[in-house]
Amino acid sequence: MATISTISAPARALASNDALTLTHVTRAFGALRAVDDVSLRVAAGQKYAVLGSNGAGKTTLFNAITGDFPPTAGSIHFFGEDITALPPHERIRKGLRRTYQSSLLFRELSVRDNLFLAVRGVGSGRFGLRRASPRHASCVATEELLERARLSHIADELVANLAHGQQRQLEIGMALAGAPRLILFDEPAAGLSPAERRELVALLTSLPGHMSFVLIEHDLDIALRVVERVTVMHNGSVLKHGTPAEIESDPQVQAIYMGGQH
């Protein structure tokens, strides 16, 4: 049904312009295969979704890509480079970013300060103790992130005072620090109100065209509106690959994840 199919060899990633290529990736915890023989590829600049019910293996797949739980079998290529065995901080340096289901924010700092720390964390001189001047590149980049994340109007607000949706926006803004090449978004719409969901869609669709992202999401209305390709997982394995329209109309996907209708 889809052009995304099982990858026969890692050499294909080296010869392509794919942002991310997973080849027979497996992650086992003892006898349990949380991710089982998953192969997919995300083209440079492509917006991609991985869907599935709880326990399908989506977050474990993200953990394998980021290096939090490296694969027990298979390989991962990032813009043609084999990163299967690289530690997480090396993957970040190469332009891979991630958000998490649970917020990882400095709640007693302002929105601006959180973004500033994100900028310094992925830049050179991140361990310097001297406070940067307003014209310093890191401060300029922070102001740009405030605009891109649509948070300029609450730049000086403490994170602890933000609505849940604003905190999710801030997490996305922090993931954008340092010109990432690909971002993994883990359940960005979780717990959002309808208005916050609309703001999230606007933010995701405003991201630069050259930037790739992979989205894990239970809210199919959001996921299918902001991506170009979809992989559906079930019990740790790939169930379907396809376009949003193909996935939405697929009887097997409907039966398993949509109760037969959507």
Side-chain angles (χ1 to χ4, degrees):
M1 174 175 69
T3 58
I4 300 177
S5 58
T6 299
I7 314 298
S8 60
R12 178 174 178 179
L14 299 174
S16 74
N17 66 343
D18 292 337
L20 181 68
T21 305
L22 276 57
T23 308
H24 303 302
V25 168
T26 295
R27 174 66 206 193
F29 298 94
L32 172 65
R33 288 195 171 197
V35 172
D36 189 6
D37 195 28
V38 171
S39 295
L40 60 84
R41 58 188 178 92
V42 180
Q46 193 170 51
K47 319 307 182 191
Y48 203 103
V50 177
L51 306 180
S53 59
N54 288 331
K58 306 182 302 298
T59 296
T60 302
L61 183 68
F62 267 23
N63 288 334
I65 295 170
T66 59
D68 294 331
F69 293 106
T72 48
S75 65
I76 301 172
H77 285 74
F78 186 64
F79 287 92
E81 181 179 358
D82 190 342
I83 64 168
T84 311
L86 286 184
H89 69 274
E90 290 292 340
R91 304 183 194 212
I92 292 172
R93 289 179 182 175
K94 293 183 182 299
L96 180 63
R97 302 284 190 275
R98 179 188 180 173
T99 66
Y100 289 82
Q101 291 183 28
S102 300
S103 296
L104 299 176
L105 301 172
F106 298 99
R107 293 176 55 81
E108 301 308 316
L109 296 180
S110 70
V111 171
R112 178 180 279 109
D113 287 342
N114 271 262
L115 290 174
F116 176 78
L117 289 174
V119 169
R120 292 299 292 265
V122 297
S124 59
R126 58 187 177 277
F127 300 119
L129 298 178
R130 181 178 299 177
R131 187 172 182 84
S133 70
R135 290 178 292 181
H136 190 276
S138 56
C139 290
V140 173
T142 298
E143 296 305 311
E144 292 174 349
L145 283 181
L146 282 167
E147 290 287 339
R148 179 171 289 179
R150 306 159 71 95
L151 293 169
S152 295
H153 62 295
I154 53 171
D156 297 317
E157 190 72 49
L158 293 181
V159 169
N161 298 332
L162 299 183
H164 179 63
Q166 293 170 327
Q167 292 187 23
R168 301 302 272 182
Q169 282 180 248
L170 177 56
E171 291 173 330
I172 293 174
M174 294 174 72
L176 291 169
R181 303 166 80 187
L182 183 144
I183 304 177
L184 306 175
F185 293 121
D186 195 347
E187 298 279 5
L192 300 191
S193 68
E196 290 170 335
R197 281 173 159 79
R198 288 192 294 272
E199 185 67 20
L200 175 64
V201 168
L203 176 55
L204 292 176
T205 55
S206 71
L207 295 179
H210 67 270
M211 185 183 298
S212 307
F213 71 69
V214 182
L215 174 78
I216 287 177
E217 188 51 66
H218 279 300
D219 189 322
L220 298 181
D221 288 332
I222 285 182
L224 298 180
R225 286 171 62 189
V226 300
V227 303
E228 303 157 279
R229 301 294 298 180
V230 181
T231 289
V232 179
M233 292 184 65
H234 183 57
N235 293 335
S237 300
V238 171
L239 176 68
K240 297 283 181 179
H241 294 299
T243 66
E246 289 169 337
I247 294 301
E248 189 172 30
S249 62
D250 186 274
Q252 189 174 12
V253 174
Q254 290 179 359
I256 294 175
Y257 297 107
M258 305 177 195
Q261 61 182 3
H262 181 60

